[in-house]
Amino acid sequence: APSSASRSNVEEMSLVVIEDVMSSGPGGRIWDAAVVLGSWILEHYGKKGMNDMAVIELGAGIGLVGMVCAKLGAEVSVTDKESLLPLIGANIRHNAEEQVERGLLWAERLEWGQKLTKRMKRR
């Protein structure tokens, strides 16, 4: 399936993300709202970090906001529908492998109306 790589500069953090609208639909692209929220998070937490915080990114799409939070030290569950998990997984492995290995960042299926998993409720 056709895909493209885009560079997203969220303030001082640079991420290279894979977009795939052809296979993944609207969730497979960077939305302006994700860039704005990621920039806001960096502006407010960039210096002090997000250690000891837990984040669930709902409807993550490509996972941009979750990656920003994890890189700042938060424990992050990036969630979306099943069809987007391969794209999210590719992006978080490419941009945040250290956070994945440390158990700070993972992708999970979460459909609207579904109950949270035990892992999501750990905190």
Side-chain angles (χ1 to χ4, degrees), residues 4-108:
S4 64
S6 298
R7 181 167 296 280
S8 178
N9 289 313
V10 181
E11 293 292 316
E12 297 153 15
M13 187 181 294
S14 181
L15 303 169
V16 177
V17 294
I18 302 163
E19 297 181 279
D20 187 357
V21 179
M22 297 299 287
S23 296
S24 304
R29 66 182 283 271
I30 297 175
W31 287 84
D32 292 343
V35 175
V36 170
L37 180 55
S39 296
W40 185 90
I41 290 167
L42 268 175
E43 181 182 328
H44 289 85
Y45 294 98
K47 290 187 173 118
K48 61 183 171 180
M50 296 180 75
N51 298 322
D52 298 320
M53 291 187 186
V55 175
I56 298 176
E57 184 180 7
L58 302 172
I62 61 166
L64 181 68
V65 174
M67 289 186 289
V68 169
C69 293
K71 285 184 155 292
L72 292 174
E75 185 177 300
V76 183
S77 177
V78 179
T79 69
D80 214 312
K81 60 187 179 176
E82 186 76 33
S83 63
L84 283 164
L85 293 182
L87 183 59
I88 294 169
N91 278 310
I92 65 177
R93 282 189 306 277
H94 182 74
N95 290 287
E97 186 65 31
E98 178 185 337
Q99 287 75 21
V100 172
E101 289 175 4
R102 292 176 44 209
L104 292 176
L105 179 62
W106 62 91
E108 287 188 83

